[in-house]
Amino acid sequence: GIPAEPLFRSFRKTFIEEGVKSCIENSGLKESEAREYCECAMNKINENLSNDEIIDISMDNPPKDLDERIDKAISSCVEKKP
């Protein structure tokens, strides 16, 4: 079959890139300001997603609480700022 690891890596890379893009668009901030939070948040979420979830997301069937997770991750990234 297809080697799984590179596949997951590429799904995850796409997930992060897409997520960062839409996060920046939805943030209402300048891209330079939003990018830091958005990258922090998407990387955090990616770390907590199982490979199964990544596959679901890539098939447009994300976990029901994904938006909630994204909001939480963004909040925790924002709070870290001095």
Side-chain angles (χ1 to χ4, degrees), residues 3-48:
E5 267 315 305
L7 199 63
F8 292 132
R9 267 204 298 277
S10 93
F11 280 156
R12 286 177 186 276
K13 192 166 171 291
T14 305
F15 169 69
I16 292 174
E17 283 166 3
E18 295 296 311
V20 167
K21 227 179 11 211
S22 84
C23 169
I24 291 170
E25 283 164 12
N26 294 322
S27 70
L29 297 171
K30 289 209 281 297
E31 180 177 340
S32 55
E33 294 169 7
R35 176 169 293 281
E36 195 183 332
Y37 298 131
C38 291
E39 283 180 350
C40 164
M42 294 311 296
N43 280 305
K44 219 183 247 257
I45 290 161
N46 178 46
E47 284 165 21
N48 293 314

Side-chain angles (χ1 to χ4, degrees), residues 52-82:
D52 287 341
E53 286 176 316
I54 281 291
I55 289 180
D56 286 345
I57 290 167
S58 74
M59 293 171 151
D60 248 351
N61 182 26
K64 299 225 180 331
D65 65 341
L66 186 61
D67 286 341
E68 202 178 298
R69 289 191 218 177
I70 291 174
D71 289 342
K72 275 207 187 89
I74 291 171
S75 302
S76 71
C77 290
V78 171
E79 279 161 19
K80 272 218 218 80
K81 289 290 266 191

